Amino acid sequence: MDLEREKRFMAAHAAGHDRIYRYFRRRTENAATAEDLCAEVFRIAWEKTGQDGSLSVMVLFGIAKNVLGNHGRSAVRSASLLGALQLERNHDGRTDGSPVHEALSQLRPDDREVLLLTYWDGFSSTEVSDLLNTSATAVRMRLHRARKALSNLLQTQTQPEGAAR
């Protein structure tokens, strides 16, 4: 029984580890935090293999979403220094100055999340709808609006001053 459990876990780990790590890396302040959160996901996944054994990538991302939520709530309750550093990070934005990162940072959080899950994490609208607890139709509509908003922001950033629209 334990050998079968270990095989299921190792298969899930191999299938999802890199995607889960990248998911956290884009949403956290540093690589160490992303690694810690990723380890937490697989700790929970190990516990789940003893229950029903179902560890698809979607299950892992569902766990990751909850772990990220817990991390966020924990950060809010942490020391004022950590809060100040987080606030500074949010105001400074990305250090690479990329127009895409700049535009993404200006989007509403819901729009940014649907774009990241679709294009960076590679999920279908059905999978995104499962993660966000909404319908696939609503996800497609949000994705359409988010792409349009991102496009408008990118056009505004690249348009020379004084140029007529």
Side-chain angles (χ1 to χ4, degrees):
M1 180 68 179
D2 282 343
L3 185 59
E4 190 61 35
R5 178 183 183 195
E6 186 174 323
K7 284 181 183 179
R8 283 192 315 266
F9 176 80
M10 294 305 290
H13 187 274
H17 181 272
D18 290 344
R19 289 177 74 184
I20 297 292
Y21 173 79
R22 289 189 307 262
Y23 173 83
F24 286 132
R25 185 62 189 105
R26 283 189 300 277
R27 291 163 175 83
T28 59
E29 55 274 3
N30 59 51
T33 302
E35 289 170 5
D36 289 346
L37 295 176
C38 192
E40 178 67 6
V41 166
F42 286 99
R43 183 195 62 77
I44 294 168
W46 173 255
E47 292 175 3
K48 283 189 172 280
T49 58
Q51 296 169 359
D52 63 0
S54 173
L55 283 178
S56 68
V57 173
M58 288 303 296
V59 169
L60 292 174
F61 267 89
I63 295 168
K65 182 181 173 197
N66 291 336
V67 166
L68 187 62
N70 289 341
H71 172 70
R73 286 185 293 278
S74 177
V76 168
R77 293 185 305 262
S78 67
S80 63
L81 177 59
L82 182 59
L85 291 174
Q86 182 67 24
L87 182 61
E88 182 180 349
R89 179 185 159 268
N90 288 340
H91 285 296
D92 288 346
R94 301 275 183 185
T95 57
D96 65 3
S98 159
V100 174
H101 282 120
E102 171 106 13
L104 279 171
S105 71
Q106 294 175 20
L107 287 175
R108 291 182 343 177
D110 289 345
D111 289 345
R112 182 174 43 252
E113 186 68 6
V114 77
L115 282 171
L116 291 175
L117 286 170
T118 302
Y119 294 108
W120 271 264
D121 295 319
F123 287 115
S124 69
S125 58
T126 303
E127 292 169 328
V128 173
S129 72
D130 289 343
L131 286 170
L132 299 179
N133 296 324
T134 188
S135 70
T137 304
V139 167
R140 286 189 293 273
M141 182 63 84
R142 283 174 53 188
L143 186 58
H144 172 76
R145 289 180 186 144
R147 282 192 303 244
K148 192 171 186 176
L150 182 63
S151 175
N152 289 339
L153 285 169
L154 288 171
Q155 287 175 354
T156 302
Q157 288 177 357
T158 58
Q159 192 157 11
E161 272 188 47
R165 282 190 165 178

